[in-house]
Structures are given as C-alpha cells and as structure tokens.
Amino acid sequence: MVFSSDPYFSNRERFISNLYWSKSKGLVRYEKTDGECWELVEGD
C-alpha cells in the first residue's frame, strides 16, 4: 500500500512524499521530495 502526501505539503524541501506499507512488515520504504529514499533491507 502506498500513502502519498497532500499536494499542499509537496513543495516543501525534504518532505516525505510517499510511504510504502506492508501488512506483514510495516514500513518498507519512504521517498522524500529532495530525492532521498530509505528502503527496508532484509538480511540473510
């Protein structure tokens, strides 16, 4: 499931624009308006 920010906030710097949510794992990724992103990585 992807949650997107309200367009009102999307012009701010370093604001989280999208959250990616998994029912089984919770937060798995986010993307910021400045291009930075974080992604859950599973180890072996």
Side-chain angles (χ1 to χ4, degrees):
M1 180 178 289
V2 178
F3 296 95
S4 297
S5 65
D6 187 307
Y8 175 78
F9 296 108
S10 63
N11 62 350
R12 295 182 180 187
E13 290 183 37
R14 301 182 44 115
F15 188 77
I16 294 176
S17 59
N18 294 311
L19 288 174
Y20 296 79
W21 187 265
S22 163
K23 285 184 179 181
S24 62
K25 296 180 177 151
L27 181 63
V28 293
R29 179 180 171 93
Y30 70 72
E31 299 171 349
K32 290 183 165 183
T33 54
D34 66 355
E36 180 182 341
C37 65
W38 172 88
E39 190 163 356
L40 177 66
V41 177
E42 292 188 38
D44 291 331

